[in-house]
Amino acid sequence: MGRNATGESLWNKDWLWALAIILVITLLSGLGQFRGLDEILFTTFTRLTPATPTPRIDIIAIDKRSLKSLGQWPWPRSSIARLLNIADAGKPKVIAITLPLNTPQVTPGLEALDRLNQLFKTEGLDGWTATISRIGHQLPAAEANSLVHLGTTLSRFARQLRADKDKLNQDLSLTQSLAAIHNVDLIFTYAPGVTQGNPDTPLPALLAKNRFPPNASRMNLISPPTAYTLNLPLPQFLQHALGIGAIGGQTLGWNRFTGMPLAVSYYGQTLPSLALLVAMQSLNLGATDVHYLPGKGLRLGSLLIRTDDTLRIHPRVYRGAHGRAAFNTYSFADVLNGNVDPNVFRDKILLIGPVGMAQGGVPAETRLGLLADAISSILNQDPYYTPPWVKYVLLAAWGFSALYLTWLLPLLGNRLAGALTASLIIALGAASFYPLYTRGIWYSPTGPALLLFSGYWLIMLKRRLFNGQGLLPGSNANLENLRVLGLAFQSQGQLDLAFDRFRHLPINEQSLELLYSLALDFERKRRFDKAKTVYEYIARHRRHYRDIRERMKRTQTLSEISLAPHPSNGDTPGNGGTLILHHSGVQKPMLGRYEVEQEIGRGAMSTVYEGKDPKIGRRVAIKTLPLSTEFQGEELEQVKARFYREAETAGQLSHPNIVTIFDAGEEDDVAYIAMEYLHGRNLTHFVGKAGLLPVSSVLEIVAKCALALDYAHRHQVIHRDVKPANIVYNIDTGDVKLTDFGIARITDASKTRTGVIMGTPSYMSPEQLAGRKLDGRSDLFSLGITCFQLLTGAPPFHADTMATLMYKITNEAHPGLNALRDDLAPCVSPIINKVLQKNPDKRFQTGRELANQLLRCARDIREQMA
């Protein structure tokens, strides 16, 4: 199955791989997955084909300079009104304001005057003039004159109140300006959506005047974007504006690539965009002068604007002479302050709006620039467009690319195929760029070009894989480089990189030997899944090579064992970070350069192995910490960095009573520390009442630990986890070694998955339990608890719950030593009482001070026994 009549594999055929990539690329293109590439290519090409804009457009920009001069936005609308009056003095053809004017501009002063005016009317003061006049005829002359004066004052107050209110009414100022000018266009925005039924209110008269008649203009043949709701300017502005047009930006999908619609549909009514409306007015055209020509675009009088049936245009990219801006741009503040001669605006299309401020999520500079480009593209009749015949050109390009991949490319050698494919891709790009540059015709060649590119590389990849050449170049020099590099990686313990190099070698006896040796190294590292992968790779090429079938089965079993949940923690993968040491036919495990012999101890989070440095034959103890089973993500990286810092710090300590650190490293997310191999047992073997050491021996052991801590403290190292399990004692020689410097900083400061503090707090000082900053006196407190337990067979503080235990350590006094053991010398209890003080200032301040007291007491005890 899968082979032809000659026995050659069907999957080795280039045309079959070409057919597969053709189907995939065609499907992705149909789903629009290359639209981003199309836009990038369109943007690049259009920047290389700038056009000259119409000189009829000027821009008055609300820019940073204006904001600095006139204050932060929003400004009073009277400023806009003043600017309109100044600009109108130059007699521009059309003025378009791109600012939203859909809400009243109410200042605190105007609100206060309005409330005062309402109060004046509510209290009936506006009617008192007539009342006073009527009453005045019935009173004496003097009183009548006073009433007349009061009436006159009230009338004057009412007139002044109305005058001041009108003066502060910014909307009234802008309304009066619009009424005087009569050639200002405003904008409306809209929410896109499908409309049904009838609108809540009829179209305002200004919108109804500018809508396109559907039948006479053939507007019934188009399908512009639909508007669900319109966001219109205030009615007083609409009453005096010349026209109103739609404007939008990227929030509505409007940009140069996707196209800007020249109209929107609102309940069946086709309303012009601001760009189209301004262009029409500049040409003295009305809505009845605009017609849609199917397959071509809009006819504006004698102008033909290329659009699709949604009335979208793709504005040109314009550039001014000598690298200047495309359109003459003036600062709002300069025009308002009289620094610009209004006559420069004569017969111009004047666009007024902000630059650099966002409006509705669209940068105003983009909105204003696109508007100017769109108007210029309409007047110049030069927008980018895609004629109907382009689809046949693209269909031919797709067909030629598919034929090339399935028929011609399989006949070519690798180098010729690469050169010809690159030439065809460049030709496709040129064939797209040339019509865009000369006539503004756009079509994207990304689909056929990606088909050629992907097809070529897939077939080249297939040729290498099926020819056994691998993915990298296959010259003798390159193959030797791969072999040497792979061996170098293997010797450095970077086995994954070594395998990546070895599998690109041609399959022969030499390469199989390299791969087999690499699989054995994976076994030594206890990476059984990786070893199985290498054995499977060998088996695909040499099924019966050596004993790989048995090794594949064995590594499969061991891989499953290593990935099984730990019995005590169902969601911890692997074996709790331990190593599988004894299994038939499995190589001895390695941690870094150390060969692991046997397990010699286990703690809450760590496991200790006896190992050997094969290079110098030195026996070592290797403590492993499976950090990846307790930490995740950034926390894991932070803990690893802290682990190496603490190991480095502990490695710099050199003291007879501190274990020597040789090395630290990481193997498959298991951190390890190689240290001096110690003879003896930790003090947990001597804390039971049945196995207590002599009192003088305990005091000497603790004194040696205190001297070791004094040395560490003077080197700015705090142990943080002094307890019997971390003190090794050789009963034959009397040697004492303090171990695990810095490990507590990694484990005890962290939380397990269930939120319990790692380790036991029975030996922690009150300040350590409280999370305060620690110094060496905290270690001395922990050493005091250890001494108490070695003397009495029980710790001074114990409880059924963690919270109770922590409370006792922090608040309750320890039991008296003599109450628990009446045979102690008198000098022992005062030492323990002082070292277990809650307040660090009341304890021994240094380890040497504590050691001196302990040794003096031990000497006294021995002298009494002599």
Side-chain angles (χ1 to χ4, degrees):
M1 185 176 180
R3 294 183 178 271
N4 57 18
T6 63
E8 185 179 2
S9 173
L10 182 64
W11 296 107
N12 200 21
K13 296 293 185 181
D14 287 350
W15 64 264
L16 186 62
W17 289 65
L19 185 60
I21 197 65
I22 290 170
L23 293 176
V24 171
I25 297 297
T26 303
L27 177 61
L28 293 177
S29 179
L31 294 175
Q33 297 302 306
F34 306 140
R35 189 172 181 83
L37 293 176
D38 293 341
E39 184 168 359
I40 292 173
L41 189 65
F42 176 84
T43 302
T44 302
F45 280 3
T46 53
R47 287 177 179 174
L48 297 175
T49 59
T52 303
T54 176
R56 301 175 59 185
I57 299 176
D58 284 353
I59 295 175
I60 297 180
I62 301 174
D63 51 10
K64 292 182 180 179
R65 183 175 177 181
S66 301
L67 293 174
K68 185 176 181 180
S69 174
L70 302 178
Q72 290 299 314
W73 188 262
W75 298 332
R77 285 177 178 164
S78 59
S79 299
I80 302 174
R82 287 171 51 208
L83 181 120
L84 289 177
N85 294 332
I86 293 172
D88 184 62
K91 304 301 180 183
K93 183 73 174 181
V94 181
I95 300 176
I97 301 178
T98 64
L99 297 168
L101 301 173
N102 55 319
T103 57
Q105 189 177 67
V106 180
T107 62
L110 182 61
E111 289 182 332
L113 290 180
D114 188 56
R115 288 193 299 269
L116 186 60
N117 187 46
Q118 291 296 329
L119 181 63
F120 191 84
K121 292 181 179 180
T122 303
E123 297 297 330
L125 296 179
D126 55 344
W128 268 86
T129 302
T131 302
I132 290 172
S133 177
R134 186 172 57 256
I135 296 174
H137 298 293
Q138 305 172 8
L139 298 175
E143 295 179 1
N145 290 336
S146 298
L147 284 177
V148 170
H149 178 70
L150 176 61
T152 303
T153 302
L154 287 175
S155 299
R156 188 185 310 116
F157 177 80
R159 289 194 301 272
Q160 187 63 41
L161 182 62
R162 287 192 295 270
D164 291 342
K165 181 181 175 183
D166 291 343
K167 187 180 298 183
L168 291 180
N169 191 336
Q170 302 295 326
D171 292 341
L172 178 61
S173 175
L174 183 57
T175 301
Q176 293 171 347
S177 180
L178 292 174
I181 295 175
H182 293 301
N183 67 338
V184 179
D185 286 327
L186 305 180
I187 66 167
F188 72 87
T189 57
Y190 64 91
V194 178
T195 56
Q196 296 178 349
N198 296 314
D200 295 333
T201 58
L203 285 177
L206 188 62
L207 272 177
K209 181 183 72 172
N210 290 326
R211 64 184 175 181
F212 296 121
N215 296 324
S217 302
R218 295 188 178 181
M219 291 298 176
N220 57 326
L221 302 179
I222 62 174
S223 54
T226 56
Y228 182 72
T229 58
L230 303 182
N231 196 0
L232 300 173
L234 297 175
Q236 61 265 36
F237 298 151
L238 283 177
Q239 181 180 358
H240 300 290
L242 176 63
I244 179 173
I247 194 169
Q250 294 173 347
T251 53
L252 297 174
W254 292 17
N255 58 49
R256 204 181 306 274
F257 172 71
T258 58
M260 297 178 59
L262 297 181
V264 295
S265 176
Y266 180 69
Y267 287 95
Q269 305 292 323
T270 305
L271 310 176
S273 71
L274 183 63
L276 180 58
L277 181 66
V278 169
M280 290 164 48
Q281 293 169 347
S282 70
L283 298 173
N284 299 318
L285 299 176
T288 57
D289 297 314
V290 181
H291 303 276
Y292 175 67
L293 303 180
K296 294 183 179 180
L298 281 184
R299 172 74 70 180
L300 274 68
S302 60
L303 302 183
L304 177 62
I305 314 303
R306 299 283 186 175
T307 70
D308 56 17
D309 58 2
T310 65
L311 287 190
R312 289 179 182 263
I313 65 167
H314 304 271
R316 277 274 185 171
V317 175
Y318 292 109
R319 184 181 301 165
H322 308 296
R324 293 181 301 186
F327 305 97
N328 294 327
T329 303
Y330 305 92
S331 175
F332 189 102
D334 287 344
V335 177
L336 196 65
N337 294 330
N339 298 329
V340 178
D341 185 1
N343 290 318
V344 300
F345 305 135
R346 185 173 297 277
D347 294 327
K348 293 288 189 71
I349 297 171
L350 193 56
L351 306 180
I352 302 174
V355 172
M357 296 185 294
Q359 295 187 54
V362 183
E365 186 171 14
T366 301
R367 171 181 282 183
L368 203 59
L370 275 177
L371 176 63
D373 287 347
I375 297 172
S376 182
S377 294
I378 294 172
L379 296 178
N380 288 349
Q381 304 179 83
D382 62 353
Y384 304 113
Y385 71 103
T386 301
W389 52 262
V390 161
K391 59 185 176 183
Y392 301 109
V393 174
L394 287 175
L395 186 61
W398 276 94
F400 175 79
S401 300
L403 185 64
Y404 169 76
L405 291 178
T406 56
W407 175 70
L408 184 56
L409 185 60
L411 304 178
L412 304 176
N414 292 353
R415 292 187 178 180
L416 181 58
L420 185 56
T421 303
S423 300
L424 290 175
I425 293 174
I426 293 173
L428 283 174
S432 172
F433 178 74
Y434 180 76
L436 186 76
Y437 182 80
T438 56
R439 302 185 60 184
I441 295 175
W442 160 250
Y443 65 89
S444 175
T446 53
L450 279 174
L451 178 59
L452 290 173
F453 180 82
S454 305
Y456 167 77
W457 282 107
L458 183 65
I459 291 175
M460 293 302 104
L461 174 63
K462 167 259 163 191
R463 287 181 180 180
R464 288 200 157 274
L465 292 177
F466 275 77
N467 293 337
Q469 294 176 302
L471 300 179
L472 299 178
S475 68
N476 291 334
N478 285 328
L479 293 177
E480 180 62 19
N481 289 338
L482 286 174
R483 188 185 70 82
V484 172
L485 189 57
L487 289 172
F489 282 137
Q490 186 177 359
S491 66
Q492 297 168 8
Q494 302 183 60
L495 305 185
D496 291 304
L497 293 176
F499 181 45
D500 184 61
R501 299 308 184 272
F502 287 159
R503 64 192 180 89
H504 295 315
L505 297 172
I507 298 300
N508 51 40
E509 288 298 328
Q510 184 183 19
S511 61
L512 290 175
E513 180 65 28
L514 292 173
L515 290 166
Y516 186 83
S517 173
L518 180 65
L520 294 180
D521 275 356
F522 272 124
E523 286 191 29
R524 294 186 184 95
K525 297 291 186 181
R526 280 353 189 209
R527 299 175 63 184
F528 299 111
D529 55 334
K530 290 290 187 179
K532 178 175 176 289
T533 300
V534 179
Y535 289 137
E536 289 175 344
Y537 181 80
I538 296 174
R540 285 200 298 269
H541 297 88
R542 192 77 59 85
R543 186 175 303 175
H544 300 289
Y545 185 77
R546 294 195 181 184
D547 59 345
I548 60 169
R549 301 185 71 178
E550 291 77 11
R551 288 195 174 274
M552 286 170 59
K553 294 179 182 178
R554 188 183 303 122
T555 52
Q556 173 66 34
T557 302
L558 294 174
S559 178
E560 293 173 356
I561 293 174
S562 64
L563 294 175
H566 192 273
S568 63
N569 188 1
D571 48 356
T572 301
N575 292 292
T578 62
L579 300 175
I580 301 173
L581 294 175
H582 302 292
H583 199 283
S584 176
V586 178
Q587 304 295 308
K588 283 187 176 181
M590 299 286 291
L591 279 173
R593 63 192 178 98
Y594 302 100
E595 190 176 87
V596 180
E597 299 287 347
Q598 62 179 340
E599 180 180 321
I600 57 176
R602 184 186 294 245
M605 185 178 174
S606 61
T607 306
V608 183
Y609 300 96
E610 178 185 349
K612 183 178 69 174
D613 187 340
K615 293 186 178 180
I616 58 177
R618 177 168 57 192
R619 294 181 70 192
V620 296
I622 305 172
K623 170 163 281 194
T624 62
L625 295 168
L627 302 180
S628 62
T629 65
E630 300 296 337
F631 306 95
Q632 300 291 331
E634 293 184 2
E635 186 184 14
L636 175 60
E637 296 304 320
Q638 295 172 0
V639 170
K640 285 181 181 179
R642 188 188 303 166
F643 168 79
Y644 286 114
R645 287 197 304 270
E646 296 295 335
E648 179 184 3
T649 302
Q652 294 174 355
L653 299 178
S654 178
H655 189 273
N657 300 117
I658 297 177
V659 67
T660 303
I661 304 295
F662 297 132
D663 193 10
E666 180 186 357
E667 194 77 42
D668 292 334
D669 289 331
V670 175
Y672 68 88
I673 297 177
M675 64 188 76
E676 173 186 3
Y677 185 84
L678 301 177
H679 297 278
R681 295 189 293 177
N682 63 50
L683 292 183
T684 57
H685 295 85
F686 306 104
V687 295
K689 293 184 177 181
L692 297 179
L693 294 169
V695 174
S696 59
S697 297
V698 170
L699 298 181
E700 290 172 353
I701 291 170
V702 175
K704 291 179 180 179
C705 293
L707 290 174
L709 289 173
D710 181 75
Y711 170 83
H713 296 163
R714 283 188 284 108
H715 286 78
Q716 310 303 316
V717 178
I718 303 172
H719 192 290
R720 293 182 175 82
D721 196 24
V722 177
K723 59 185 178 182
N726 287 335
I727 302 172
V728 177
Y729 174 58
N730 189 333
I731 197 170
D732 297 326
T733 64
D735 290 338
V736 176
K737 294 283 185 177
L738 194 55
T739 67
D740 278 4
F741 271 88
I743 301 302
R745 187 184 182 104
I746 299 168
T747 60
D748 289 352
S750 305
K751 301 284 186 181
T752 64
R753 290 184 179 88
T754 57
V756 180
I757 297 177
M758 303 281 295
T760 171
S762 299
Y763 302 91
M764 293 182 182
S765 65
E767 61 266 29
Q768 189 173 3
L769 289 173
R772 297 196 294 269
K773 185 177 181 181
L774 304 182
D775 56 26
R777 295 173 296 181
S778 175
D779 284 345
L780 298 184
F781 185 93
S782 301
L783 185 61
I785 292 180
T786 300
C787 185
F788 188 102
Q789 190 172 6
L790 289 171
L791 291 171
T792 64
F797 306 103
H798 51 84
D800 295 331
T801 64
M802 185 77 71
T804 305
L805 176 62
M806 295 170 67
Y807 177 83
K808 286 185 175 183
I809 294 174
T810 307
N811 298 281
E812 294 185 1
H814 62 277
L817 271 178
N818 294 331
L820 299 177
R821 186 172 176 177
D822 55 6
D823 61 339
L824 293 177
C827 62
V828 176
S829 184
I831 298 175
I832 301 303
N833 291 340
K834 184 173 183 179
V835 79
L836 292 183
Q837 288 292 321
K838 309 296 184 186
N839 187 347
D841 294 333
K842 296 181 179 181
R843 300 176 200 153
F844 292 100
Q845 299 302 297
T846 65
R848 181 165 295 276
E849 183 182 349
L850 172 61
N852 290 337
Q853 293 290 332
L854 290 169
L855 291 175
R856 186 179 299 113
C857 183
R859 186 174 61 250
D860 293 343
I861 293 173
R862 290 188 183 277
E863 290 176 353
Q864 293 175 6
M865 295 176 60

